[in-house]
Structure formats: structure tokens, C-alpha cells
Amino acid sequence: MATAAAAVARRAGARAAAALLSACGTAARGWRRAGPARPLCTAPGTAPDMKGYLWERYREAKRSTEDLVPSIMNNLLNPDAIFSNNEMSLSDIEIYGFDYDYTLVFYSKHLHTLIFNAARDLLINEHRYPAEIRKYEYDPNFAIRGLHYDVQRAVLMKIDAFHYIQLGTVYRGLSVVPDEEVIEMYEGSHVPLEQMSDFYGKSSHGNTMKQFMDIFSLPEMSLLSCVNEYFLKNNIDYEPVHLYKDVKDSIRDVHIKGIMYRAIEADIEKYICYAEQTRAVLAKLADHGKKMFLITNSPSSFVDKGMRYIVGKDWRDLFDVVIVQAEKPNFFNDKRRPFRKVNEKGVLLWDKIHKLQKGQIYKQGNLYEFLKLTGWRGSKVLYFGDHIYSDLAVHRDAESQLVLQEWKKERKEMREMTKNFFNTQFGSLFRTDQNPTYFLRRLSRFADIYMASLSCLLNYDVSHTFYPRRTPLQHELPAWSDRAPALRPPLLQEAQAE
């Protein structure tokens, strides 16, 4: 507990340092245009003590940050909470939908190692990559979700919600790219919109950037980085676009060729965990008369075996509709693919589907037909899945500039310390230095609520209403506090965002 408290205190200190510079710029602009928030008291004919004033504001901000530590601590130690991007009442929800992988079923740490090793072997055996890449093993602590990969330049990076690269998080292979080189490559740190991937990784330049959104993408990022590392260390000339495609195809084939499915089915207890929590969630919803459906890309036999392990042999009795091999995201936008019924032996039937019946399993289909056949629409349906889709103006005297340089140095140190607290290479999944990540921007746009796992629902009544926390807009900041209007709100906003 003491270690956790110290870590939270360090995070709070990092927020203070980040906020101080932003606040300093805000305060200084106020001095020029409308006078300082609190006038400096000076004797007639004497110059104001700018250095003293700046350090006084610094100490105020630091005290404010320290006051926030207890509330930050409470948030950090509550992994069972559900967080809201939009107001939503569970009392309005009549139908609950679920993805299968990493939603109803959670996998152990062994699965990503399995995917990495299998895809690595496919690169060697089918794509004729050097056998020496077999020496690379999966590192679960290397990558985080939401990173972008520049296909042409073969670099992995974290980008914020405003398309700015977070310097210090750009990796070529397994080595960080110096900030100066990044700025030269991109003519700054901003990635233009036309080069950014859309939700599914395409762009006007043809896969210029690929964003890795789901949990299954972690071994893919690691394999990309390891193979790049091998070619770079051995001075092998290669085409980055071909490497990306080969790794992507190998990861895909681990799924499509059934390698992953067969391995899990052969040792289900090794790979699947948290079964009792999923059972409890589904039982709770069923007891309250809620309808439920399952839509997954996984095949029928694989889902059936997993659900028998998690819920029991009668698992289909809980679901009003079960759809396998849905081929999401095509399921959501391709209206041409009809539903097919799957019999008990996994054989596809040719009957025209006029109704989606409880207890049956269906394959493929599309969202348009799904809504037409079920009549489920609008806000009464809740679906759970794991795939989402400052220039400072300060006083110019020499002493004030020395103070500013001290703050910048402290901020840099604290930013690095805070990044290491989450992930040594890339930092927090949700935040760059001071901005939300591109991943969080997508999450906020597409998801009404988010949580660590489905079991968090057990902590809330089925009529609970979620309210998003109101955070101040930039023009609202001065209204928050009479004591330090330019300093306190960014700190509060940081605490709430985390």
C-alpha cells in the first residue's frame, strides 16, 4: 500500500509539473491583456518581483496537487468501477449483446505467447523468413493498445487525440527513435489527417498508418517490432510494406487456420480464466428478464466448447440469438450476406432464415438483417466488445526565464517517471503528456461506458444510471477557483480523466 501511495504521489507530481507550464502561459497572457489574477504588491518606482511571484504560484499549484492525492488513490484502487462517456441508465436497457473473445471469455497470459510463437513460425515456414527470428520471444510488457504503426517507415508510436506524436514513444524495431529524427521524418510532431488511419486502418495513402485497437493486436505489434529489429541489427535491406503485410497475414492465419482455436480447445483450463464472473453476470441479467445475444467472429465449435466451460452445457438457453463467424466489421456494413443456420454437427443449412430463433446458432449475416429480424433498435440495446474503434507566453526577464527552465526540467523528469509507471516504452493507454491519446478519443466517440471487464456489472444495480464527469472546457477554467484560477482546473481535469 505504501508503494502504491508513493506511485500515486509521483503521478500527481507529474500532473503538477505539466499543469504548471500551461498555467504559467495562461497567467502571463492574463498579465499582458487584463492584468494578473493577483496583482503584485510593489513599492512605487520599483520593479515587480517576477521570480518571487512565479515561485509563489508554483507552490500553490504543488499544494493543490498534493491535496488531490487521496482522491486519485481511491480511483486507482478501484478496478471494478464502470466509467461513463455518456449519460446512460441501465433501467432503459432491455437487450444486452456481447462479443465472445475478451468480453464473455477472458484469456490467460499464455494466449498472446501462443499467437506470437505461431505467427513467428508461419513467417519462417511459409514466408521463408530467417530461422534466426525464432530467438525472439513475446514480451507482454512491450506494447499497449491504441498505438499507430507507420507502414512505410516501419515505426511504432503513440499519437494523441489531436494527431500529435508523443516524443519518446516512437520505436523502430525495439529501439526508441531520437526526438530529433522523429521531428525530421514528420517535419514536426504532427501527423496530417490524410496520413492517419481511419477506424479500420485505411487511409487515402493506402495503409500509411495502421492503428492497433484490440487486445489481440498486442502480439502483432511485438512481432512486427522483433522482425524489424532483426533486419536492422543484421543490416538486411528489406521492404517495410512487405514485412508489415507478411506479419499481418501470419497473425491472421493463426486464427483462420485454426491454430489458436485448436490449442485453446486442447488445454482450455490453461487459456481461459474468470469463468465464474461471466456466469454471474449472465445469471444476473437473466434473473431480471433481460434479453441477450452473442455476435462473434469465432467459429461455432470453438464458442460452444468455451461457453460450456464457462457457463455449462445449457449456455444457449440464456441467449435469444447466437451468431458466429460474423466477420466483423463487415457484419456492420455489408447488407448482402444472409444468415445461415448451423446444426448440432456444425454443418451449414440452406434454409432461408425468416426468424432468429432462441437456442439456434447462426453464421455470418449482417446488421441490417439482424435488426429487421429481431426488431431490436435504439437506446434499449447495449452491446459489449473489446474493439473500439503550448506555446508559452511568459515574462521575458532573465530571472523569470531561469525559473521557467527549472520548471521545464522538472516537468521532463516527471513526465518520464510517470510514463514508466504505466509502460516503459509508451506510457499510459489513455494519455500522452498532457493530451488524451488517439485511442481514448475513439473510445469516447464509440463507447457510452467502459470498464476493465464484464464482471464490473456485478457492482451495479440493473437500474443504475451512469453520468459522465463534467470536466471544464478551456474557456471555463477561470470560473473554477478564486484562489488560483489558472492552475487548479487543469489539475482537476487530469485527475478526473485518469
Side-chain angles (χ1 to χ4, degrees):
M1 181 63 74
T3 303
V8 174
R10 290 197 299 271
R11 291 175 64 198
R15 292 192 183 93
L20 282 167
L21 287 173
S22 175
C24 180
T26 304
R29 285 190 290 271
W31 299 337
R32 288 210 308 263
R33 296 174 185 171
R38 291 196 311 177
L40 291 171
C41 296
T42 58
T46 62
D49 179 13
M50 296 303 304
K51 181 178 179 181
Y53 181 79
L54 290 172
W55 279 112
E56 180 185 357
R57 299 303 298 274
Y58 172 88
R59 286 188 288 270
E60 287 182 357
K62 200 160 191 175
R63 284 194 298 270
S64 300
T65 301
E66 291 168 351
D67 291 342
L68 289 172
V69 170
S71 62
I72 297 171
M73 186 74 175
N74 290 335
N75 286 337
L76 185 68
L77 297 180
N78 186 14
D80 296 325
I82 294 177
F83 307 95
S84 176
N85 292 321
N86 196 11
E87 182 176 339
M88 189 193 74
S89 176
L90 291 181
S91 62
D92 296 331
I93 305 300
E94 300 174 10
I95 303 136
Y96 285 76
F98 305 95
D99 190 9
Y100 178 70
D101 297 301
Y102 285 110
T103 303
L104 288 177
V105 58
F106 268 76
Y107 296 104
S108 70
K109 62 181 180 180
H110 303 292
L111 181 61
H112 285 173
T113 300
L114 165 69
I115 295 172
F116 179 93
N117 290 344
R120 182 196 60 199
D121 291 345
L122 286 172
L123 281 177
I124 296 170
N125 298 329
E126 298 192 5
H127 296 272
R128 300 295 183 249
Y129 275 60
E132 288 83 359
I133 67 172
R134 195 171 273 119
K135 70 180 181 180
Y136 292 99
E137 297 180 351
Y138 178 64
D139 179 3
N141 299 314
F142 176 69
I144 60 174
R145 292 171 67 190
L147 299 179
H148 281 79
Y149 183 76
D150 189 321
V151 176
Q152 275 79 20
R153 297 182 174 95
V155 289
L156 187 68
M157 70 192 79
K158 187 163 76 168
I159 296 179
D160 73 14
F162 307 103
H163 298 184
Y164 282 91
I165 301 166
Q166 181 179 353
L167 297 177
T169 71
V170 181
Y171 277 75
R172 181 183 289 116
L174 300 176
S175 302
V176 67
V177 180
D179 295 349
E180 299 78 12
E181 186 177 342
V182 174
I183 291 171
E184 183 178 354
M185 270 196 298
Y186 293 94
E187 299 180 348
S189 61
H190 184 264
V191 182
L193 178 62
E194 62 269 16
Q195 294 183 25
M196 292 289 291
S197 64
D198 66 8
F199 186 68
Y200 301 113
K202 298 176 183 177
S203 75
S204 59
H205 288 217
N207 284 327
T208 300
M209 287 275 191
K210 160 70 179 178
Q211 189 182 22
F212 296 98
M213 295 292 284
D214 63 16
I215 302 176
F216 278 130
S217 65
L218 294 174
E220 182 175 358
M221 285 185 275
S222 294
L223 186 58
L224 266 173
S225 298
C226 288
V227 179
N228 273 307
E229 179 77 4
Y230 174 81
F231 285 152
L232 291 168
K233 291 295 184 184
N234 291 278
N235 297 315
I236 298 174
D237 189 28
Y238 69 102
E239 172 53 64
V241 176
H242 292 162
L243 186 151
Y244 166 74
K245 183 179 183 302
D246 291 343
V247 170
K248 181 179 70 171
D249 290 348
S250 296
I251 291 286
R252 180 202 63 197
D253 286 347
V254 171
H255 294 77
I256 290 179
K257 294 185 177 182
I259 299 172
M260 184 188 81
Y261 302 131
R262 288 192 296 271
I264 294 175
E265 289 183 39
D267 197 352
I268 203 163
E269 292 184 358
K270 176 181 178 180
Y271 292 105
I272 293 183
C273 49
Y274 305 134
E276 68 283 355
Q277 296 176 339
T278 297
R279 282 197 299 269
V281 170
L282 297 178
K284 178 180 179 178
L285 296 176
D287 289 344
H288 286 83
K290 304 297 183 181
K291 294 182 181 295
M292 290 181 279
F293 65 91
L294 169 61
I295 301 180
T296 176
N297 286 349
S298 296
S300 174
S301 60
F302 176 72
V303 173
D304 182 63
K305 188 161 186 177
M307 290 300 288
R308 283 173 179 265
Y309 175 75
I310 296 170
V311 179
K313 63 179 181 180
D314 298 327
W315 68 271
R316 280 189 281 176
D317 293 342
L318 291 171
F319 293 90
D320 293 85
V321 178
V322 175
I323 300 169
V324 299
Q325 292 178 276
E327 296 184 15
K328 294 176 292 181
N330 291 334
F331 178 85
F332 298 111
N333 50 43
D334 188 345
K335 297 182 179 181
R336 298 169 297 177
R337 301 179 313 146
F339 284 106
R340 301 277 300 276
K341 186 183 289 186
V342 183
N343 68 12
E344 295 293 334
K345 296 182 179 180
V347 177
L348 287 175
L349 305 180
W350 294 97
D351 311 50
K352 182 175 176 62
I353 305 300
H354 299 282
K355 182 181 180 181
L356 298 176
Q357 298 175 317
K358 187 169 185 175
Q360 300 294 326
I361 295 181
Y362 300 90
K363 179 182 176 180
Q364 291 189 349
N366 63 81
L367 180 62
Y368 175 81
E369 285 295 318
F370 177 80
L371 298 176
K372 179 181 175 182
L373 293 172
T374 61
W376 296 343
R377 297 180 180 277
S379 58
K380 66 181 180 180
V381 181
L382 182 61
Y383 182 76
F384 292 85
D386 75 293
H387 194 293
I388 316 305
Y389 224 135
S390 66
D391 186 19
L392 300 177
V394 296
H395 208 272
R396 298 296 180 184
D397 67 89
E399 284 194 337
S400 297
Q401 287 298 306
L402 287 175
V403 171
L404 178 60
Q405 293 309 313
E406 287 188 50
W407 288 358
K408 283 184 174 180
K409 183 175 181 291
E410 183 174 0
R411 180 180 70 169
K412 182 178 180 180
E413 293 170 353
M414 287 185 169
R415 279 179 170 176
E416 188 63 28
M417 182 169 57
T418 304
K419 188 180 84 168
N420 292 339
F421 178 76
F422 293 100
N423 175 280
T424 303
Q425 290 75 229
F426 301 100
S428 169
L429 168 65
F430 298 109
R431 183 176 294 285
T432 58
D433 291 323
Q434 70 276 351
N435 290 329
T437 59
Y438 194 85
F439 177 86
L440 182 60
R441 175 181 174 182
R442 291 295 194 177
L443 178 68
S444 301
R445 177 180 174 187
F446 290 103
D448 286 326
I449 57 176
Y450 61 101
M451 64 204 77
S453 72
L454 200 62
S455 62
C456 297
L457 278 175
L458 297 173
N459 303 306
Y460 297 83
D461 187 81
V462 291
S463 61
H464 182 86
T465 299
F466 296 99
Y467 296 98
R469 292 174 175 174
R470 179 182 173 90
T471 55
L473 303 176
Q474 293 301 310
H475 67 273
E476 295 175 328
L477 297 183
W480 272 61
S481 170
D482 293 328
R483 183 168 70 89
L487 298 182
R488 287 179 63 85
L491 300 178
L492 292 173
Q493 186 173 2
E494 291 268 346
Q496 291 175 342
E498 291 286 351

